[in-house]
């Protein structure tokens, strides 16, 4: 997509991003996949700063899926090392800039030291309001939905909830994103056009924008272009359109 360096129209309240293309970026340059992941961290930094500058309240980034655990052991090790590096090197800067960090996903599969770093980062930044940054790690939407159903079934079984009281709202209250608004805009990089088990419940009425840019090359301009595309959509939510 082409565009200018500024956006017009309403900003989405919540932007979600599937960061795809690190491996292809590295392969095109004859580099190991780890080089692409390292370059991808720079794109994360740029995008977080761009979202904060634009005034987007919520940004969710798909960092590591539940399916990614199937990758080669060496690549998983490198990704976890990069995660440790990010948590050590970026949290102070995020805190200084008023960014609140939250992590959603299955923490039981993460190393204890990573979980500790996540907990400390969440606690440190819990009062910040400039931007809510949500990182999805060891996350799968189907697993999240099953977990919510299991918690509701337990409440029914133990008499805390009747089946008649189960609503969309009560179900959503059992998801990992219970206090986070649904995304208005979901962006996927690298030209792939699928959402890969990411925020399935929450994206029921989300506008999807697919861009060809590989994630390590993603810039503020790409984000602005996606927002311009978003503002050209007629969001009807099942009603009659206005255009």
């Amino acid at each position: 997509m082409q565009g200018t360096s500024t956006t017009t129209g309403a900003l989405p309240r919540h932007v979600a991003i599937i960061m795809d293309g690190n491996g292809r970026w590295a392969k095109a340059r004859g580099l190991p996949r780890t080089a692409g992941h390292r370059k991808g961290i720079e794109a994360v930094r740029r995008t977080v700063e761009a979202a904060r500058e634009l005034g987007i309240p919520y940004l969710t980034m798909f960092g590591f899926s539940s399916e990614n655990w199937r990758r080669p052991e060496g690549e998983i090790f490198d990704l976890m090392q990069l995660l440790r590096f990010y948590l050590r090197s970026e949290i102070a800067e995020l805190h200084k800039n008023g960014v609140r960090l939250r992590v959603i996903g299955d923490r039981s599969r993460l190393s204890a030291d990573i979980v500790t770093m996540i907990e400390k980062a969440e606690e440190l930044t819990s009062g910040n309001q400039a931007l809510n940054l949500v990182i999805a790690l060891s996350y799968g939407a189907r697993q999240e939905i099953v977990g919510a159903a299991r918690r509701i079934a337990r409440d029914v079984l133990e008499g805390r909830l009747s089946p008649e009281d189960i609503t969309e709202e009560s179900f959503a209250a059992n998801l990992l994103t219970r206090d986070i608004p649904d995304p208005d805009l979901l962006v996927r990089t690298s030209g792939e056009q699928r959402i890969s088990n990411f925020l399935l419940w929450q994206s029921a009425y989300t506008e999807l924008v697919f861009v060809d840019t590989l994630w390590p090359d993603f810039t503020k301009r790409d984000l602005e272009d996606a927002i311009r595309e978003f503002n050209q959509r007629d969001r009807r939510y099942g009603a009659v359109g206005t255009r």
Side-chain angles (χ1 to χ4, degrees), residues 19 61-70 76 79-80 83 102-111 114-115 118 134-144 176 196-199:
M19 305 176 288
M61 311 184 86
F62 202 5
F64 189 85
S65 74
S66 54
E67 290 77 19
N68 286 156
W69 290 110
R70 302 171 187 166
I76 292 174
L79 286 167
M80 292 300 111
L83 175 57
R102 284 189 272 184
V103 174
I104 59 173
D106 181 8
R107 299 187 187 187
S108 69
R109 302 191 69 176
L110 298 171
S111 298
I114 291 177
V115 173
I118 289 171
V134 183
I135 304 293
L137 293 174
S138 189
Y139 171 87
R142 286 182 174 179
Q143 294 87 333
E144 177 188 27
L176 299 175
S196 297
N197 201 21
F198 182 49
L199 299 179

Side-chain angles (χ1 to χ4, degrees), residues 3-223:
T4 61
S5 60
T6 58
T7 60
T8 59
L11 284 172
R13 185 181 183 199
H14 182 180
V15 176
I17 300 179
I18 300 175
M19 305 176 288
D20 193 19
N22 290 346
R24 274 169 282 174
W25 184 93
K27 183 178 180 180
R29 291 159 177 79
L31 299 171
R33 290 176 63 86
T34 303
H37 296 314
R38 289 186 181 278
K39 198 71 174 177
I41 288 181
E42 297 178 17
V44 170
R45 187 181 298 117
R46 288 195 302 270
T47 304
V48 170
E49 181 62 19
R52 189 180 67 84
E53 290 176 353
L54 290 169
I56 296 169
Y58 291 85
L59 174 66
T60 297
M61 311 184 86
F62 202 5
F64 189 85
S65 74
S66 54
E67 290 77 19
N68 286 156
W69 290 110
R70 302 171 187 166
R71 291 188 177 187
E73 186 175 333
E75 183 174 354
I76 292 174
F77 176 82
D78 290 337
L79 286 167
M80 292 300 111
Q81 290 294 87
L82 285 174
L83 175 57
R84 289 182 175 93
F85 170 79
Y86 182 84
L87 290 169
R88 291 190 189 105
S89 65
E90 300 296 320
I91 299 308
E93 187 71 12
L94 292 176
H95 184 47
K96 184 179 75 172
N97 290 326
V99 177
R100 179 183 181 183
L101 176 69
R102 284 189 272 184
V103 174
I104 59 173
D106 181 8
R107 299 187 187 187
S108 69
R109 302 191 69 176
L110 298 171
S111 298
D113 67 309
I114 291 177
V115 173
T116 298
M117 284 191 283
I118 289 171
E119 291 172 347
K120 288 181 177 179
E122 289 179 326
E123 181 180 3
L124 175 67
T125 64
S126 61
N128 295 340
Q129 299 180 358
L131 170 68
N132 290 274
L133 172 62
V134 183
I135 304 293
L137 293 174
S138 189
Y139 171 87
R142 286 182 174 179
Q143 294 87 333
E144 177 188 27
I145 291 169
V146 168
R150 187 179 293 119
R151 284 186 286 275
I152 290 173
R154 188 178 299 116
D155 285 344
V156 171
L157 185 64
E158 296 177 359
R160 291 189 295 271
L161 183 70
S162 69
E164 292 74 20
D165 291 331
I166 300 172
T167 63
E168 291 185 16
E169 291 74 21
S170 65
F171 192 91
N174 282 276
L175 296 171
L176 299 175
T177 55
R178 62 185 62 88
D179 59 343
I180 299 170
D182 292 343
D184 303 294
L185 167 64
L186 189 153
V187 180
R188 180 171 187 146
T189 60
S190 86
E192 301 292 346
Q193 298 189 14
R194 56 183 179 273
I195 57 176
S196 297
N197 201 21
F198 182 49
L199 299 179
L200 297 179
W201 174 281
Q202 298 88 339
S203 297
Y205 286 100
T206 298
E207 297 298 326
L208 309 179
V209 174
F210 302 105
V211 301
D212 292 332
T213 305
L214 299 176
W215 176 247
D217 294 326
F218 194 83
T219 66
K220 182 180 181 180
R221 177 168 178 168
D222 291 301
L223 179 60

